[in-house]
């Protein structure tokens, strides 16, 4: 019996160190768990600012719009004003086509008929003794009253059109600053946070490759939304220029030291062409204007592709596809067309 007790005691003493080491390992593991958790929390906390500082996914710019004949450009053999795509433009074209041209035509025909009749009726062979009639009350009243009536009929819609042309833009209008340079245009979107980029005329080969009219095509277009009021702040950097787009009924001088304002709303998507309309130097004829009017959703996509922000202030507030940023953004002045170097008037 004593021998059995001795054997059991010897076994307990033999395995005691192993049991002690297992308990110590459990205690060490329990003690190190808070440290590991704290380390993980610290790593997550440190990674949070880095994740917040990481740039959002870039937004792909919408594809460059192709021009459509008859929209925003003159048509072959066109003898009247271009088709208009703003409310003031349609009003101005109606005044020109439906009132001014008929009145001018009628007056011209009437004067021509009267001259021919006088030349035939009162020629020397038919009237050897000239008439001594000096006054005709009815005729004098008619040629005084009729012109007054005609001018009043023209004045009423003309004054209304002038008032509409200079009506202030609403508060929610998109503001774009337009600056005329010798000899290119600069566009800036202060509301969207897009800095100024420049727009130069495309060379003939690139314009042809893009399917655009030469002397009207530009490398960087002024991108605007359809159906939203637009306010252009127009100025000049060096000499007087003039920002003119006939199909939008837009024409405003760009005067250095002065901010001129023009507001309008584009009614249809398309590419609208114009030119500088004020003689501004040697390359005056080579600073075209190209406006790309996009539907509102595509315009918001373009704004995000340029690193801008939407009207709500949230730059990620649209479901636009990811991709490389668009080529529109940039403040570096592109080179002039190779066929007409800037400053060399002999090659223009």
């Amino acid at each position: 019996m004593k021998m059995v007790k001795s054997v059991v005691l010897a076994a307990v003493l033999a395995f005691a160190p192993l049991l002690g080491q297992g308990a110590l390992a459990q205690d060490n593991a329990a003690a190190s768990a808070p440290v590991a958790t704290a380390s993980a929390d610290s790593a997550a906390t440190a990674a949070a600012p880095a994740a917040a500082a990481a740039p959002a996914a870039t937004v792909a710019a919408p594809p460059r719009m192709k021009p459509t004949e008859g929209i925003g450009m003159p048509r072959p053999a066109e003898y009247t004003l271009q088709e208009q795509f703003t409310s003031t433009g349609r009003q101005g074209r109606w005044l020109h086509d439906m009132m001014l041209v008929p009145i001018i035509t009628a007056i011209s025909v009437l004067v021509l008929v009267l001259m021919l009749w006088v030349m035939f009726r009162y020629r020397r062979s038919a009237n050897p003794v000239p008439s001594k009639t000096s006054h005709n009350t009815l005729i004098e009243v008619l040629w005084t009253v009729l012109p007054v009536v005609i001018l009043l009929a023209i004045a009423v819609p003309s004054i209304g059109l002038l008032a509409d042309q200079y009506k202030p833009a609403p508060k929610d209008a998109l503001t774009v600053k337009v600056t005329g340079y010798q000899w290119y245009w600069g566009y800036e979107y202060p509301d969207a946070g897009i800095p100024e980029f420049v727009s130069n005329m495309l060379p003939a080969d690139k314009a042809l490759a893009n399917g655009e009219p030469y002397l009207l095509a530009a490398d960087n277009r002024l991108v605007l939304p359809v159906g939203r009021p637009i306010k252009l702040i127009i100025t000049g950097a060096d000499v007087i220029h003039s920002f003119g787009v006939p199909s939008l009924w837009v024409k405003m001088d760009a005067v250095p030291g002065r901010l001129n304002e023009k507001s309008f709303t584009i009614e249809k998507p398309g590419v609208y062409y114009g030119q500088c309309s004020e003689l501004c130097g040697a390359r005056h004829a080579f600073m075209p204007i190209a406006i790309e009017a996009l539907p509102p959703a595509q315009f918001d996509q373009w704004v995000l592709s340029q690193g801008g922000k939407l009207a709500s202030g949230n730059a990620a507030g649209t479901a636009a596809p990811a991709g490389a940023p668009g080529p529109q953004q940039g403040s570096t002045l592109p080179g002039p067309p190779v066929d007409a170097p800037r400053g060399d008037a002999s090659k223009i």
Side-chain angles (χ1 to χ4, degrees):
M1 188 67 182
K2 292 183 178 180
M3 183 176 295
V4 174
K5 291 181 178 180
S6 299
V7 172
V8 172
L9 181 61
V12 170
L13 293 176
F15 287 101
L18 296 179
L19 296 175
Q21 289 180 0
L24 182 61
Q26 292 179 358
D27 293 341
N28 291 337
S32 62
V35 178
T37 303
S39 300
D41 294 341
S42 300
T45 303
T58 57
V59 176
R64 186 179 176 96
M65 183 178 291
K66 294 291 185 181
T68 303
E69 184 176 344
I71 299 180
M73 69 177 76
R75 296 179 179 180
E78 190 172 37
Y79 61 87
T80 183
L81 300 176
Q82 294 184 28
E83 185 177 354
Q84 299 297 307
F85 296 92
T86 61
S87 59
T88 54
R90 287 186 285 102
Q91 182 181 352
R93 189 181 185 189
W94 175 89
L95 179 64
H96 175 269
D97 292 350
M98 306 305 294
M99 180 171 285
L100 295 182
V101 171
I103 290 176
I104 293 171
T105 303
I107 293 175
S108 300
V109 171
L110 176 63
V111 172
L112 177 61
V113 170
L114 289 176
M115 289 182 63
L116 293 176
W117 183 72
V118 168
M119 292 166 60
F120 176 79
R121 175 66 180 80
Y122 298 102
R123 67 189 189 278
R124 177 181 296 181
S125 60
N127 297 274
V129 179
S131 173
K132 296 183 179 180
T133 303
S134 60
H135 295 285
N136 188 303
T137 303
L138 178 60
I139 292 178
E140 291 189 1
V141 170
L142 289 177
W143 72 33
T144 301
V145 174
L146 285 180
V148 173
V149 172
I150 293 173
L151 291 176
L152 287 176
I154 296 175
V156 173
S158 297
I159 294 174
L161 177 61
L162 287 173
D164 291 341
Q165 286 182 160
Y166 295 98
K167 185 182 297 183
K171 293 183 179 180
D172 60 344
L174 170 69
T175 302
V176 180
K177 183 181 178 183
V178 177
T179 306
Y181 299 93
Q182 287 183 315
W183 289 271
Y184 56 96
W185 294 99
Y187 304 125
E188 180 182 353
Y189 296 72
D191 291 347
I194 300 177
E196 185 182 55
F197 60 86
V198 297
S199 177
N200 257 331
M201 186 184 74
L202 281 178
D205 55 343
K206 292 186 178 180
L208 182 62
N210 291 347
E212 299 187 66
Y214 179 50
L215 299 180
L216 293 177
D219 51 3
N220 292 328
R221 295 170 176 170
L222 173 60
V223 181
L224 298 175
V226 173
R228 294 180 183 175
I230 298 162
K231 179 173 69 174
L232 298 184
I233 303 298
I234 303 172
T235 187
D238 32 47
V239 299
I240 298 178
H241 303 271
S242 186
F243 188 85
V245 184
S247 58
L248 299 178
W249 204 260
V250 172
K251 186 178 184 297
M252 181 62 69
D253 285 348
V255 183
R258 171 175 289 186
L259 298 178
N260 290 330
E261 180 178 319
K262 186 67 176 178
S263 62
F264 56 94
T265 301
I266 304 176
E267 298 175 342
K268 187 175 182 178
V271 182
Y272 299 88
Y273 294 103
Q275 290 177 308
C276 177
S277 303
E278 183 71 34
L279 187 61
C280 58
R283 289 187 54 80
H284 156 69
F286 302 98
M287 50 181 303
I289 300 163
I291 295 179
E292 183 171 339
L294 297 175
Q298 293 186 24
F299 175 76
D300 291 345
Q301 178 183 342
W302 177 85
V303 169
L304 296 179
S305 72
Q306 308 306 311
K309 62 180 184 298
L310 303 182
S312 62
N314 182 9
T318 187
Q328 198 84 12
Q329 176 78 21
S331 57
T332 303
L333 175 62
V338 296
D339 55 345
R342 178 178 288 113
D344 189 352
S346 63
K347 297 183 180 180
I348 293 177

